[in-house]
Amino acid sequence: QPGARGRVRAATRRTAPAGAPRWPGPLPPAARAVVVTAYGPDAPIPGGLWHWAVKDIPAGTDGLGHGAGAEKDPVLPAGAVQLANDLGQAAYSGVQPPPGTGTHRLVICVTALDTSALDTPEGASLALVNILMTGHTLGRGIIIPTSQAPSA
């Protein structure tokens, strides 16, 4: 649901955000694939931090399971592709706000597309992936869990 809020632990667990996103509701009828992204707008660097992206998830899939964001041998549906995040890892980088930086949001988007495979150049930034999705987007669900940084 757009604007839904939840909590995630600041942790070193890096297999998928908030236990892995699920989208049990129906996708738009013309949907052929889904893209999942996770973005941290409150990271203490200019422009925030893209933590994760998975593209080309078949539309018949209703979520990603534990281990979907693992760097080595990710547990993904057939055909799905994990993209490099802002840390250069094809993995979920985890929510680890630096001490003393307060509450951090993690914007998790599930975007339904009208194409089964989003054509992205090798090494494309996640900002570019979002731009390339624009002409193919049929609908989007957003959840924004928060995490509290440890005290300084």
Side-chain angles (χ1 to χ4, degrees):
Q1 293 179 334
R5 301 213 179 259
R7 303 248 336 138
V8 291
R9 288 184 291 135
T12 57
R13 186 174 62 99
R14 296 180 179 199
T15 57
R22 303 202 65 73
W23 48 95
L27 295 174
R32 296 182 58 205
V34 171
V35 174
V36 174
T37 58
Y39 172 70
D42 304 312
I45 58 173
L49 181 74
W50 285 100
H51 288 272
W52 195 37
V54 181
K55 70 175 193 120
D56 304 342
I57 302 165
T61 306
D62 66 357
L64 296 175
H66 182 75
E71 189 168 15
K72 185 175 180 179
D73 300 322
V75 180
L76 295 171
V81 177
Q82 195 158 241
L83 302 168
N85 60 29
D86 280 353
L87 301 177
Q89 305 163 328
Y92 172 63
S93 64
V95 177
Q96 299 180 22
T101 58
T103 301
H104 288 246
R105 296 166 291 164
L106 182 65
V107 180
I108 302 170
C109 295
V110 176
T111 305
L113 303 179
D114 67 0
T115 182
S116 59
L118 185 65
D119 188 22
T120 55
E122 182 74 26
S125 70
L126 297 188
L128 178 57
V129 169
N130 278 277
I131 291 167
L132 295 173
M133 285 193 297
T134 303
H136 297 285
T137 298
L138 299 172
R140 178 174 289 133
I142 301 171
I143 185 169
I144 307 173
T146 60
S147 179
Q148 186 65 39
S151 299

